[in-house]
Amino acid sequence: MAKHDLREYRDKRRSSNTSEPMGDASASEPSGDASTTGKRGKAEEPVFVIQRHEATNLHFDFRLEIDGVLVSWAVPKGPSLDPSTKRLAHRTEDHPLDYADFEGRIGEGYGAGTVIVWDTGTFANATEIDGDSVSASQGLDDGHLVVDLHGEKLSGAFALTQTKLNGDPANWLLVKVDDSGADRRRKPTSTQNESVLSGRGNDDI
């Protein structure tokens, strides 16, 4: 099982030019369970967050709380509610849990631009491999995750599958599962651009 480590996250950032939380030098050891205790108190459902990031190119950062960190993917076009639409999701470095409510401006350097919390909530792990339920940690290692989101803009199950497109193991696909949360007509990433926490848009940061 992969060990999550925040050193890559910290190495890419300088606290002097960003208000992003730095987190600890290394994350806790994996527990094998997506739910966490500790900072957030009693065991709770794990959180997800999708941040709208206007950097060199606009994209949406899709993050899931797994084993004490936010496991992260950059989704250039953002999540789609249409099950027939596949979205490229590029795996990036793990982020600290306190990044889940980060909104602000990142100064010159890595990730320069503005960030808002486009959607957030909790999720339930619904991953199965060969018909057997597996933990989110195991699904991540095996390259296939299904998560049932309970957010303000998004609900229902989404599948993340590692494709290694163009030979890059960081390339995954994000697809909406065809359930009650699917909607082939609604396009929230282009019509709902405000933060669910502050009501601000990126231009207001």
Side-chain angles (χ1 to χ4, degrees), residues 121-185:
T122 62
F123 76 91
N125 174 43
T127 309
E128 293 185 356
I129 295 179
D130 296 329
D132 295 323
S133 296
V134 299
S135 69
S137 299
Q138 187 61 56
L140 186 65
D141 284 349
D142 289 348
H144 181 68
L145 275 170
V146 179
V147 292
D148 194 6
L149 304 185
H150 310 290
E152 295 190 33
K153 295 177 180 176
L154 302 183
S155 62
F158 285 78
L160 278 155
T161 303
Q162 189 177 34
T163 67
K164 301 183 182 180
L165 185 67
N166 297 324
D168 187 347
N171 284 331
W172 294 54
L173 289 178
L174 175 67
V175 181
K176 179 72 188 77
V177 173
D178 196 356
D179 58 15
S180 60
D183 191 330
R184 289 168 173 78
R185 298 175 63 185

Side-chain angles (χ1 to χ4, degrees), residues 4 13 21 23 30 49 59 78 87 100 110 151 165-167 170 175 179-180 189:
H4 299 285
R13 291 162 175 82
V49 62
H59 63 276
R87 295 294 202 217
Y110 181 75
L165 185 67
N166 297 324
V175 181
D179 58 15
S180 60
T189 55

Side-chain angles (χ1 to χ4, degrees), residues 21 58 114 122 188 194 203:
L58 171 66
T114 58
T122 62
E194 297 77 24
D203 292 341

Side-chain angles (χ1 to χ4, degrees), residues 3 9 15 35 65 67 70 108 110 112 145 176:
K3 185 179 186 300
Y9 171 89
S15 58
S35 62
E65 178 186 354
D67 293 333
L70 293 173
E108 183 177 353
Y110 181 75
L145 275 170
K176 179 72 188 77

Side-chain angles (χ1 to χ4, degrees), residues 36-115:
T36 61
T37 56
K39 262 188 173 182
R40 299 203 292 123
K42 62 183 177 58
E44 301 174 357
E45 287 296 306
V47 301
F48 83 92
V49 62
I50 300 172
Q51 284 157 312
R52 190 176 191 272
H53 188 178
E54 283 200 356
T56 303
N57 296 301
L58 171 66
H59 63 276
F60 291 76
D61 292 309
F62 188 100
R63 312 191 196 282
L64 300 172
E65 178 186 354
I66 300 174
D67 293 333
V69 298
L70 293 173
V71 177
S72 301
W73 292 261
V75 185
K77 294 185 177 181
S80 172
L81 297 179
D82 184 348
S84 68
T85 300
K86 297 179 176 64
R87 295 294 202 217
L88 175 66
H90 188 82
R91 177 85 183 271
T92 61
E93 72 276 10
D94 296 335
H95 283 51
L97 288 180
D98 48 0
Y99 207 96
D101 59 3
F102 170 72
E103 295 191 331
R105 181 175 293 277
I106 302 171
E108 183 177 353
Y110 181 75
T114 58
V115 175

